[in-house]
Amino acid sequence: MASEESGSTTPAPTAPSPDGSSAESPSAEGPSFEGPVPAGATPPTLLDLSTYLLSRTGKAARSRLAERLARRGLRLWDMAVLAALADFGPHAQRDLVRRLGVDASDMAKVADQLALAGYVERARDAADRRRLSVTVTGAGLALLAELRAEALAVQDEVLAPLSAAERRVLHELLARIHAELPGAL
């Protein structure tokens, strides 16, 4: 442990040779490093996986946006509900559950908080009094515009290493992948 605290690193293990002895050269099983491996270095085996990179990048972006929303007392689900209502119009609360893939009890809490703040209105459906219809308000639309600006700022931070053309290509590729995911519309 003391070596980790001082910032020194341990040498990378060498790959065994076919006869079981330690080999100093790279093996067919994976890369071998010469010299110390930086503490916290991501294994190259993972860096070779696009899905790993997508997951890590998505997690970083989600975390940054969640921090920005938390400063306003909001969560990602709050933004998702406002976006669904703004983009698709009023919904029965149970339809929002299905559309967004959120637990019904969590949706009730989100809708309660958004309604209390004046960002959505909930009313009983005239045709079926058991149904609660949720509609975004003008204040909710204004908030969503601010949250979208926050999301775009996070996107700019995360995608800063890419040119505008590269960002467009990345977006097109991700949209194509997303369209093929189960349940994606």
Side-chain angles (χ1 to χ4, degrees):
M1 279 298 200
S3 66
E4 287 180 20
E5 291 171 9
S6 66
S8 67
T9 59
T10 57
T14 55
S17 67
D19 66 2
S21 65
S22 179
E24 293 299 325
S25 60
S27 74
E29 291 147 4
S32 173
F33 293 95
E34 292 185 25
V37 175
T42 302
T45 301
L46 296 178
L47 292 174
D48 285 344
L49 298 171
S50 296
T51 51
Y52 175 81
L53 297 173
L54 281 168
S55 175
R56 288 296 303 247
T57 304
K59 183 177 178 182
R62 181 182 178 99
S63 176
R64 289 180 189 187
L65 181 56
E67 287 174 17
R68 287 175 179 240
L69 296 180
R71 289 184 215 135
R72 297 169 170 262
L74 299 169
R75 297 176 315 256
L76 292 166
W77 283 125
D78 299 319
M79 184 176 178
V81 167
L82 292 173
L85 295 173
D87 291 347
F88 301 117
H91 274 64
Q93 192 166 302
R94 69 175 176 235
D95 293 338
L96 279 171
V97 165
R98 281 192 292 272
R99 178 177 295 282
L100 298 175
V102 64
D103 182 80
S105 64
D106 291 337
M107 178 57 69
K109 292 174 194 169
V110 169
D112 285 345
Q113 288 178 314
L114 291 174
L116 187 62
Y119 300 129
V120 301
E121 291 177 349
R122 291 189 301 175
R124 294 280 172 198
D125 188 311
D128 182 350
R129 301 287 299 154
R130 295 170 295 176
R131 288 175 46 145
L132 270 177
S133 180
V134 184
T135 307
V136 66
T137 64
L141 291 173
L143 176 64
L144 180 59
E146 293 172 17
L147 299 181
R148 185 171 189 282
E150 294 277 5
L152 289 171
V154 167
Q155 180 172 282
D156 284 343
E157 290 171 14
V158 172
L159 300 181
L162 303 179
S163 70
E166 290 170 324
R167 290 178 187 204
R168 281 190 299 278
V169 169
L170 176 63
H171 184 83
E172 290 167 6
L173 293 171
L174 290 173
R176 200 163 90 202
I177 293 167
H178 181 267
E180 297 297 323
L181 294 175
L185 296 177

